[in-house]
Amino acid sequence: MIKSFEQFKNNYITYEIENNNIVFKNNEGDVGQMTYNVAYVDDILSEYNDSVEDFDESIVKKFNYNKPIVNIEDVWVYKEFRGQNLFRNILDKGLKILTAKYEQFILRACSDNGFPEDKLVDIYRDFGFVTCQETEYDGTIMVLIYKK
């Protein structure tokens, strides 16, 4: 199902939810995506222990163990659409979609395209994420507990 969310520089941006991806499109095609998975504490703990060399396991104590956690794996804008504030728009709309159903979020703020990690952390903070751990090699672990 295609849904639209705003007019942006004369391009109508729409989104589709495909499995664990929210794909954002305009009249030229895909502009970016948010990839996520939903799991409970034990699976999040296992995934982060496997993927983050020095993961601080006490971070999971912040979560309600009876509710699912959304692990935001990646948010990106395709190169040809960068510099148009679309990252913030995609993050905003993706969070609105996901917070309609979920309350707990975790992510690793790390850039693979040269964007400064500290600026990426600042963007996530603007959306309510709190820094829990700065790792040496695997980015900054951040958490959002959304109160309905």
Tab-separated table of all heavy atoms in Angstrom, residues 1-8 10-18 21-34 76 78 86 89-90 93-94 97:
chain	number	residue	atom	x	y	z
A	1	MET	N	0.833	-1.177	0.000
A	1	MET	CA	0.000	0.000	0.000
A	1	MET	C	0.880	1.244	0.000
A	1	MET	O	1.745	1.401	0.851
A	1	MET	CB	-0.892	-0.035	1.236
A	1	MET	CG	-1.730	1.174	1.412
A	1	MET	SD	-2.731	0.974	2.897
A	1	MET	CE	-4.045	2.050	2.487
A	2	ILE	N	0.686	2.118	-0.934
A	2	ILE	CA	1.470	3.337	-1.044
A	2	ILE	C	0.739	4.453	-0.308
A	2	ILE	O	-0.447	4.665	-0.492
A	2	ILE	CB	1.690	3.735	-2.515
A	2	ILE	CG1	2.488	2.648	-3.234
A	2	ILE	CG2	2.379	5.083	-2.621
A	2	ILE	CD1	2.664	2.885	-4.712
A	3	LYS	N	1.475	5.167	0.547
A	3	LYS	CA	0.920	6.306	1.270
A	3	LYS	C	1.857	7.484	1.080
A	3	LYS	O	3.061	7.322	0.999
A	3	LYS	CB	0.788	5.990	2.759
A	3	LYS	CG	-0.143	4.825	3.026
A	3	LYS	CD	-0.250	4.555	4.504
A	3	LYS	CE	-1.147	3.359	4.737
A	3	LYS	NZ	-1.318	3.057	6.140
A	4	SER	N	1.302	8.683	1.027
A	4	SER	CA	2.137	9.865	0.855
A	4	SER	C	2.303	10.596	2.176
A	4	SER	O	1.477	10.470	3.064
A	4	SER	CB	1.519	10.804	-0.172
A	4	SER	OG	0.274	11.265	0.271
A	5	PHE	N	3.391	11.361	2.315
A	5	PHE	CA	3.542	12.101	3.548
A	5	PHE	C	3.837	13.572	3.387
A	5	PHE	O	3.628	14.316	4.310
A	5	PHE	CB	4.520	11.447	4.515
A	5	PHE	CG	5.979	11.507	4.172
A	5	PHE	CD1	6.773	12.535	4.638
A	5	PHE	CD2	6.557	10.503	3.431
A	5	PHE	CE1	8.124	12.554	4.378
A	5	PHE	CE2	7.905	10.514	3.165
A	5	PHE	CZ	8.691	11.548	3.641
A	6	GLU	N	4.309	14.053	2.280
A	6	GLU	CA	4.469	15.495	2.145
A	6	GLU	C	4.944	15.879	0.759
A	6	GLU	O	5.496	15.075	0.022
A	6	GLU	CB	5.409	16.067	3.203
A	6	GLU	CG	6.876	15.817	2.939
A	6	GLU	CD	7.735	16.378	4.053
A	6	GLU	OE1	7.644	15.884	5.172
A	6	GLU	OE2	8.489	17.311	3.771
A	7	GLN	N	4.707	17.113	0.445
A	7	GLN	CA	5.236	17.699	-0.776
A	7	GLN	C	6.635	18.196	-0.458
A	7	GLN	O	6.846	18.864	0.547
A	7	GLN	CB	4.349	18.868	-1.206
A	7	GLN	CG	4.721	19.477	-2.515
A	7	GLN	CD	4.306	18.626	-3.692
A	7	GLN	OE1	3.411	17.812	-3.574
A	7	GLN	NE2	4.960	18.799	-4.806
A	8	PHE	N	7.632	17.858	-1.243
A	8	PHE	CA	8.996	18.294	-0.955
A	8	PHE	C	9.679	18.678	-2.257
A	8	PHE	O	9.907	17.822	-3.105
A	8	PHE	CB	9.777	17.193	-0.256
A	8	PHE	CG	11.082	17.653	0.272
A	8	PHE	CD1	11.147	18.323	1.476
A	8	PHE	CD2	12.246	17.454	-0.446
A	8	PHE	CE1	12.356	18.764	1.964
A	8	PHE	CE2	13.452	17.891	0.033
A	8	PHE	CZ	13.516	18.555	1.248
A	10	ASN	N	8.683	20.084	-4.932
A	10	ASN	CA	7.895	19.687	-6.096
A	10	ASN	C	7.915	18.185	-6.377
A	10	ASN	O	7.548	17.751	-7.451
A	10	ASN	CB	8.347	20.454	-7.349
A	10	ASN	CG	8.143	21.939	-7.186
A	10	ASN	OD1	7.138	22.370	-6.619
A	10	ASN	ND2	9.087	22.717	-7.665
A	11	ASN	N	8.375	17.401	-5.430
A	11	ASN	CA	8.325	15.946	-5.560
A	11	ASN	C	7.445	15.408	-4.457
A	11	ASN	O	7.686	15.666	-3.283
A	11	ASN	CB	9.717	15.327	-5.425
A	11	ASN	CG	10.555	15.538	-6.653
A	11	ASN	OD1	10.063	15.465	-7.761
A	11	ASN	ND2	11.825	15.814	-6.463
A	12	TYR	N	6.445	14.657	-4.812
A	12	TYR	CA	5.565	14.071	-3.819
A	12	TYR	C	6.237	12.823	-3.270
A	12	TYR	O	6.589	11.923	-4.021
A	12	TYR	CB	4.224	13.730	-4.480
A	12	TYR	CG	3.079	13.745	-3.532
A	12	TYR	CD1	2.784	14.876	-2.777
A	12	TYR	CD2	2.280	12.618	-3.370
A	12	TYR	CE1	1.714	14.898	-1.903
A	12	TYR	CE2	1.207	12.626	-2.497
A	12	TYR	CZ	0.936	13.770	-1.772
A	12	TYR	OH	-0.121	13.788	-0.903
A	13	ILE	N	6.468	12.789	-1.974
A	13	ILE	CA	7.149	11.668	-1.346
A	13	ILE	C	6.097	10.702	-0.814
A	13	ILE	O	5.164	11.099	-0.131
A	13	ILE	CB	8.058	12.137	-0.189
A	13	ILE	CG1	9.047	13.205	-0.652
A	13	ILE	CG2	8.775	10.942	0.439
A	13	ILE	CD1	10.073	12.733	-1.646
A	14	THR	N	6.258	9.451	-1.147
A	14	THR	CA	5.360	8.401	-0.680
A	14	THR	C	6.190	7.336	0.027
A	14	THR	O	7.415	7.355	-0.031
A	14	THR	CB	4.597	7.756	-1.859
A	14	THR	OG1	5.530	7.164	-2.752
A	14	THR	CG2	3.754	8.778	-2.600
A	15	TYR	N	5.496	6.409	0.682
A	15	TYR	CA	6.229	5.306	1.288
A	15	TYR	C	5.454	4.010	1.136
A	15	TYR	O	4.239	4.018	0.983
A	15	TYR	CB	6.541	5.568	2.768
A	15	TYR	CG	5.338	5.558	3.686
A	15	TYR	CD1	4.912	4.392	4.307
A	15	TYR	CD2	4.617	6.716	3.930
A	15	TYR	CE1	3.824	4.384	5.152
A	15	TYR	CE2	3.517	6.716	4.768
A	15	TYR	CZ	3.124	5.549	5.381
A	15	TYR	OH	2.030	5.543	6.217
A	16	GLU	N	6.205	2.935	1.167
A	16	GLU	CA	5.661	1.576	1.180
A	16	GLU	C	6.371	0.810	2.270
A	16	GLU	O	7.578	0.990	2.483
A	16	GLU	CB	5.902	0.858	-0.149
A	16	GLU	CG	5.186	1.431	-1.317
A	16	GLU	CD	5.508	0.670	-2.610
A	16	GLU	OE1	6.315	-0.273	-2.598
A	16	GLU	OE2	4.949	1.052	-3.628
A	17	ILE	N	5.636	-0.022	2.953
A	17	ILE	CA	6.245	-0.886	3.961
A	17	ILE	C	6.385	-2.264	3.344
A	17	ILE	O	5.401	-2.873	2.939
A	17	ILE	CB	5.403	-0.922	5.246
A	17	ILE	CG1	5.290	0.491	5.821
A	17	ILE	CG2	6.018	-1.888	6.262
A	17	ILE	CD1	4.353	0.626	6.990
A	18	GLU	N	7.640	-2.720	3.223
A	18	GLU	CA	7.949	-4.015	2.628
A	18	GLU	C	8.754	-4.812	3.638
A	18	GLU	O	9.917	-4.501	3.881
A	18	GLU	CB	8.761	-3.830	1.342
A	18	GLU	CG	8.086	-2.990	0.289
A	18	GLU	CD	8.995	-2.661	-0.882
A	18	GLU	OE1	10.205	-2.942	-0.830
A	18	GLU	OE2	8.477	-2.110	-1.863
A	21	ASN	N	11.250	-3.014	5.985
A	21	ASN	CA	11.764	-1.814	5.335
A	21	ASN	C	10.619	-0.850	5.078
A	21	ASN	O	9.546	-1.264	4.644
A	21	ASN	CB	12.407	-2.130	3.976
A	21	ASN	CG	13.674	-2.902	4.098
A	21	ASN	OD1	14.605	-2.470	4.748
A	21	ASN	ND2	13.712	-4.057	3.470
A	22	ILE	N	10.887	0.419	5.334
A	22	ILE	CA	9.977	1.463	4.891
A	22	ILE	C	10.716	2.138	3.747
A	22	ILE	O	11.794	2.716	3.942
A	22	ILE	CB	9.648	2.462	6.012
A	22	ILE	CG1	9.095	1.731	7.239
A	22	ILE	CG2	8.639	3.496	5.509
A	22	ILE	CD1	8.950	2.608	8.471
A	23	VAL	N	10.165	2.021	2.559
A	23	VAL	CA	10.807	2.540	1.350
A	23	VAL	C	10.126	3.854	0.973
A	23	VAL	O	8.910	3.902	0.806
A	23	VAL	CB	10.697	1.530	0.193
A	23	VAL	CG1	11.374	2.066	-1.058
A	23	VAL	CG2	11.271	0.175	0.596
A	24	PHE	N	10.924	4.911	0.856
A	24	PHE	CA	10.415	6.237	0.525
A	24	PHE	C	10.710	6.518	-0.937
A	24	PHE	O	11.812	6.276	-1.417
A	24	PHE	CB	11.064	7.278	1.442
A	24	PHE	CG	10.706	7.071	2.883
A	24	PHE	CD1	11.467	6.236	3.691
A	24	PHE	CD2	9.579	7.673	3.422
A	24	PHE	CE1	11.129	6.019	5.015
A	24	PHE	CE2	9.233	7.457	4.744
A	24	PHE	CZ	10.006	6.637	5.549
A	25	LYS	N	9.700	7.059	-1.637
A	25	LYS	CA	9.797	7.236	-3.095
A	25	LYS	C	9.289	8.622	-3.489
A	25	LYS	O	8.475	9.205	-2.789
A	25	LYS	CB	8.937	6.200	-3.810
A	25	LYS	CG	9.265	4.762	-3.483
A	25	LYS	CD	8.194	3.813	-4.034
A	25	LYS	CE	8.517	2.388	-3.670
A	25	LYS	NZ	9.163	1.649	-4.723
A	26	ASN	N	9.768	9.095	-4.618
A	26	ASN	CA	9.165	10.256	-5.253
A	26	ASN	C	8.862	9.881	-6.697
A	26	ASN	O	8.940	8.704	-7.064
A	26	ASN	CB	10.054	11.499	-5.130
A	26	ASN	CG	11.348	11.405	-5.924
A	26	ASN	OD1	11.551	10.484	-6.711
A	26	ASN	ND2	12.220	12.371	-5.732
A	27	ASN	N	8.542	10.869	-7.527
A	27	ASN	CA	8.180	10.558	-8.911
A	27	ASN	C	9.352	10.029	-9.729
A	27	ASN	O	9.163	9.519	-10.830
A	27	ASN	CB	7.565	11.784	-9.593
A	27	ASN	CG	8.480	12.983	-9.570
A	27	ASN	OD1	9.478	13.005	-8.844
A	27	ASN	ND2	8.142	14.001	-10.337
A	28	GLU	N	10.585	10.109	-9.192
A	28	GLU	CA	11.749	9.587	-9.891
A	28	GLU	C	12.131	8.179	-9.432
A	28	GLU	O	12.994	7.556	-10.020
A	28	GLU	CB	12.948	10.524	-9.679
A	28	GLU	CG	12.726	11.911	-10.239
A	28	GLU	CD	13.871	12.839	-9.911
A	28	GLU	OE1	15.034	12.387	-9.902
A	28	GLU	OE2	13.595	14.019	-9.657
A	29	GLY	N	11.539	7.703	-8.348
A	29	GLY	CA	11.869	6.385	-7.820
A	29	GLY	C	12.189	6.434	-6.342
A	29	GLY	O	11.801	7.361	-5.638
A	30	ASP	N	12.936	5.451	-5.860
A	30	ASP	CA	13.287	5.373	-4.444
A	30	ASP	C	14.232	6.515	-4.078
A	30	ASP	O	15.199	6.777	-4.780
A	30	ASP	CB	13.990	4.051	-4.121
A	30	ASP	CG	13.082	2.842	-4.259
A	30	ASP	OD1	11.890	3.027	-4.587
A	30	ASP	OD2	13.564	1.726	-4.035
A	31	VAL	N	13.934	7.169	-2.927
A	31	VAL	CA	14.819	8.230	-2.438
A	31	VAL	C	15.566	7.802	-1.185
A	31	VAL	O	16.617	8.341	-0.864
A	31	VAL	CB	14.069	9.553	-2.178
A	31	VAL	CG1	13.499	10.100	-3.475
A	31	VAL	CG2	12.995	9.409	-1.124
A	32	GLY	N	15.040	6.827	-0.452
A	32	GLY	CA	15.702	6.350	0.755
A	32	GLY	C	14.901	5.265	1.440
A	32	GLY	O	13.816	4.902	0.977
A	33	GLN	N	15.456	4.757	2.543
A	33	GLN	CA	14.797	3.669	3.272
A	33	GLN	C	15.118	3.732	4.757
A	33	GLN	O	16.140	4.304	5.154
A	33	GLN	CB	15.255	2.309	2.755
A	33	GLN	CG	14.809	2.000	1.355
A	33	GLN	CD	15.096	0.561	0.974
A	33	GLN	OE1	15.081	-0.340	1.793
A	33	GLN	NE2	15.353	0.349	-0.301
A	34	MET	N	14.259	3.117	5.529
A	34	MET	CA	14.527	2.826	6.928
A	34	MET	C	14.368	1.318	7.078
A	34	MET	O	13.326	0.762	6.739
A	34	MET	CB	13.556	3.545	7.865
A	34	MET	CG	13.762	3.190	9.339
A	34	MET	SD	12.553	3.940	10.453
A	34	MET	CE	13.286	5.547	10.642
A	76	TRP	N	18.767	5.642	5.377
A	76	TRP	CA	19.617	6.257	4.367
A	76	TRP	C	18.813	6.935	3.280
A	76	TRP	O	17.647	6.649	3.061
A	76	TRP	CB	20.592	5.255	3.754
A	76	TRP	CG	20.007	4.283	2.794
A	76	TRP	CD1	19.901	4.425	1.443
A	76	TRP	CD2	19.452	2.998	3.095
A	76	TRP	NE1	19.320	3.308	0.890
A	76	TRP	CE2	19.031	2.418	1.886
A	76	TRP	CE3	19.262	2.292	4.269
A	76	TRP	CZ2	18.428	1.174	1.824
A	76	TRP	CZ3	18.670	1.053	4.213
A	76	TRP	CH2	18.273	0.503	3.000
A	78	TYR	N	19.438	7.941	-0.822
A	78	TYR	CA	20.305	7.679	-1.966
A	78	TYR	C	21.070	8.943	-2.344
A	78	TYR	O	20.571	10.064	-2.191
A	78	TYR	CB	19.492	7.148	-3.154
A	78	TYR	CG	18.966	5.759	-2.900
A	78	TYR	CD1	17.641	5.551	-2.537
A	78	TYR	CD2	19.811	4.656	-2.989
A	78	TYR	CE1	17.163	4.272	-2.282
A	78	TYR	CE2	19.339	3.375	-2.738
A	78	TYR	CZ	18.014	3.195	-2.380
A	78	TYR	OH	17.548	1.935	-2.120
A	86	LEU	N	16.158	15.276	3.430
A	86	LEU	CA	15.325	14.081	3.372
A	86	LEU	C	15.632	13.095	4.492
A	86	LEU	O	14.740	12.370	4.938
A	86	LEU	CB	15.468	13.391	2.016
A	86	LEU	CG	14.672	14.038	0.895
A	86	LEU	CD1	15.026	13.403	-0.440
A	86	LEU	CD2	13.185	13.936	1.153
A	89	ASN	N	13.465	13.961	7.271
A	89	ASN	CA	12.075	13.674	6.910
A	89	ASN	C	11.777	12.180	6.959
A	89	ASN	O	10.729	11.760	7.437
A	89	ASN	CB	11.752	14.228	5.524
A	89	ASN	CG	11.554	15.719	5.532
A	89	ASN	OD1	10.848	16.256	6.378
A	89	ASN	ND2	12.186	16.407	4.605
A	90	ILE	N	12.709	11.381	6.446
A	90	ILE	CA	12.534	9.928	6.467
A	90	ILE	C	12.546	9.414	7.901
A	90	ILE	O	11.706	8.599	8.287
A	90	ILE	CB	13.626	9.249	5.609
A	90	ILE	CG1	13.311	9.453	4.127
A	90	ILE	CG2	13.764	7.764	5.940
A	90	ILE	CD1	14.411	9.002	3.196
A	93	LYS	N	9.177	10.498	9.599
A	93	LYS	CA	8.013	9.719	9.162
A	93	LYS	C	8.148	8.254	9.574
A	93	LYS	O	7.179	7.639	10.012
A	93	LYS	CB	7.836	9.817	7.643
A	93	LYS	CG	6.570	9.140	7.168
A	93	LYS	CD	5.336	9.696	7.856
A	93	LYS	CE	4.071	9.002	7.423
A	93	LYS	NZ	2.901	9.479	8.148
A	94	GLY	N	9.349	7.711	9.469
A	94	GLY	CA	9.555	6.322	9.890
A	94	GLY	C	9.224	6.133	11.368
A	94	GLY	O	8.564	5.168	11.753
A	97	ILE	N	5.465	6.240	11.923
A	97	ILE	CA	4.853	4.963	11.528
A	97	ILE	C	5.085	3.911	12.619
A	97	ILE	O	4.167	3.215	13.033
A	97	ILE	CB	5.441	4.476	10.182
A	97	ILE	CG1	5.002	5.413	9.050
A	97	ILE	CG2	5.038	3.035	9.889
A	97	ILE	CD1	5.809	5.242	7.767
